[in-house]
Amino acid sequence: SMLIQYGDLRQFNLEPLIAKAKDVDQLLDEINVLFLNGQMQSDTRTIIHRAVSEAVPKRNNDDMRRVYRERVSLALYLALLSTDYLVLK
């Protein structure tokens, strides 16, 4: 099963998610499939989308990879705290 404990994310390869993080919708689609079995509720998605979209470059020369990692971390954290995830377990 793809369902994992939050602590196990250290072992999880985040690269495929980081690669999608430029587009928040694509990132959330991927997290929905990988972790929530496609069961993410639309209100959950809206909340996460809003929060993750606020992770943007602070300065013009900001490292985009850092921004994308931040998006992935935040999106995963919120998705795995969501009732959508906890109910699946």
Side-chain angles (χ1 to χ4, degrees):
S1 165
M2 284 301 300
L3 294 182
I4 60 174
Q5 302 292 329
Y6 191 63
D8 296 341
L9 285 177
R10 288 184 306 280
Q11 284 81 44
F12 187 78
N13 177 17
L14 297 179
E15 286 305 320
L17 294 177
I18 292 170
K20 292 200 152 77
K22 179 175 186 179
D23 182 323
V24 176
D25 278 308
Q26 279 190 12
L27 173 62
L28 295 186
D29 285 345
E30 193 77 356
I31 288 173
N32 189 19
V33 169
L34 286 177
F35 297 96
L36 301 178
N37 233 16
Q39 304 293 310
M40 188 185 290
Q41 303 298 305
S42 60
D43 53 346
T44 302
R45 187 182 176 111
T46 300
I47 292 166
I48 297 177
H49 194 294
R50 192 172 298 149
V52 171
S53 296
E54 289 176 10
V56 294
K58 308 284 187 283
R59 303 175 300 280
N60 287 342
N61 62 347
D62 212 351
D63 176 19
M64 288 312 294
R65 184 174 168 77
R66 187 191 63 72
V67 173
Y68 295 157
R69 285 189 67 90
E70 196 176 310
R71 284 182 175 184
V72 168
S73 302
L74 183 58
L76 275 177
Y77 180 69
L78 293 173
L80 300 188
L81 278 179
S82 73
T83 51
D84 306 347
Y85 179 72
L86 298 175
V87 165
L88 279 175
K89 303 186 65 134

